[in-house]
Amino acid sequence: MSVRSIHTYLFKAGLWRAEGQYYDESGSVYPVEGESRITHRNALWYNESDMKISGSGEIGFSNYYEIVPFREGGEATSWTSANDALGKLSGQFVLAGDAILSLFQSEDGAYTGTESLLRISDIVYRNWGTLLCGRDKLSSWMIRLNRT
């Protein structure tokens, strides 16, 4: 069985509900919830995600990813995203066993980050990530994604 054949997140179209914890630059923790909609069309994959952070003035953020599908037998691909707060981001998804790893940066290079998605089952993934500005952490998160 290939590494890519075990993954459902990104590889199959669908709606994923998200809930977890968001940590700001000072380490304060807030509940976060939202959704991620994966679609496949026009030779690309798309991830439209909206998240809302509760208890911090109800801050929300949205991302619209355009993902180049993984090549046959390939374990890495590229993506770009329009982020409402950070502008254009670009990155890579890399398959590593049960995990999908992502590294990214903003168009101007001011922001960088990383994300890990661990497959728990076909319908559950755990997600951890962080966003940096230079050497300073701006935020981090731990989220559970459930396919609906």
Side-chain angles (χ1 to χ4, degrees), residues 100-115:
I100 301 172
L101 310 175
S102 182
L103 307 166
F104 61 89
Q105 70 177 15
S106 61
E107 191 170 42
D108 63 5
Y111 302 102
T112 59
T114 185
E115 248 184 312

Side-chain angles (χ1 to χ4, degrees), residues 84-97:
D84 56 358
L86 305 174
K88 184 176 180 182
L89 303 174
S90 61
Q92 288 189 296
F93 286 120
V94 179
L95 302 179

Side-chain angles (χ1 to χ4, degrees), residues 9 14-20 32-38 47-52 61-65 143-148:
Y9 188 75
L15 181 64
W16 296 77
R17 298 279 183 220
E19 63 179 86
V32 62
E33 62 181 21
E35 65 182 34
S36 173
R37 180 177 303 278
I38 308 296
N47 178 355
E48 299 173 71
S49 67
D50 292 298
M51 300 291 164
K52 185 171 285 191
F61 54 93
S62 298
N63 276 301
Y64 182 78
Y65 295 81
I143 294 173
R144 180 181 176 99
L145 293 161
N146 292 293
R147 187 178 173 138
T148 61

Side-chain angles (χ1 to χ4, degrees), residues 111-133:
Y111 302 102
T112 59
T114 185
E115 248 184 312
S116 300
L117 293 136
L118 179 65
R119 180 188 178 275
I120 305 301
S121 72
D122 283 350
I123 61 169
V124 177
Y125 275 75
R126 293 294 312 262
N127 171 251
W128 298 266
T130 190
L131 174 66
L132 306 167
C133 182

Side-chain angles (χ1 to χ4, degrees), residues 3 21 25 38 43 45 56-57 66-67 71 88 90 92 96-98 102-103 105 109 114 129:
V3 171
Q21 298 174 317
E25 67 277 357
I38 308 296
W45 297 350
S56 62
E66 291 185 349
I67 304 159
R71 289 185 327 272
K88 184 176 180 182
S90 61
Q92 288 189 296
D98 285 349
S102 182
L103 307 166
Q105 70 177 15
T114 185

